[in-house]
Amino acid sequence: MADHYRPSNGTEGECFYAAWCRRCQRDAEHRADPINADGCEILLRSYALDIDDPDYPAEWTYRDGEPVCTAFVREDSSHG
């Protein structure tokens, strides 16, 4: 079983968000319209659940010792 990743503080969380979530298609609609669009389900579960919860996102894990989101979809990937 892979180790889940959870930022240890707000600064680390902001760095992870900037590296992954801020550039990901999965949260693009919410960034464009935060009042009316749903956000990324993975991001929401990471905020709401404890890392030991079975529903905590397995997509937030480590690769080569670095935290990653395995569900990342580059926001511009559909724009040729």
Side-chain angles (χ1 to χ4, degrees):
M1 174 184 221
D3 291 328
H4 294 312
Y5 167 71
R6 181 174 204 125
S8 62
N9 57 49
T11 300
E12 185 179 335
E14 179 55 33
C15 290
F16 184 86
Y17 180 85
W20 297 98
C21 309
R22 188 173 287 141
R23 303 179 303 123
C24 186
Q25 181 63 39
R26 295 178 186 279
D27 203 48
E29 287 184 31
H30 178 71
R31 288 191 310 275
D33 186 1
I35 301 297
N36 297 306
D38 290 335
C40 173
E41 177 73 22
I42 297 165
L43 183 60
L44 296 174
R45 285 186 289 130
S46 75
Y47 289 148
L49 302 173
D50 186 72
I51 196 167
D52 294 327
D53 190 297
D55 292 324
Y56 186 84
E59 296 87 353
W60 282 25
T61 189
Y62 293 90
R63 184 178 294 144
D64 299 325
E66 297 294 322
V68 299
C69 179
T70 60
F72 175 74
V73 177
R74 185 176 307 279
E75 189 170 4
D76 62 356
S77 66
S78 64
H79 299 117

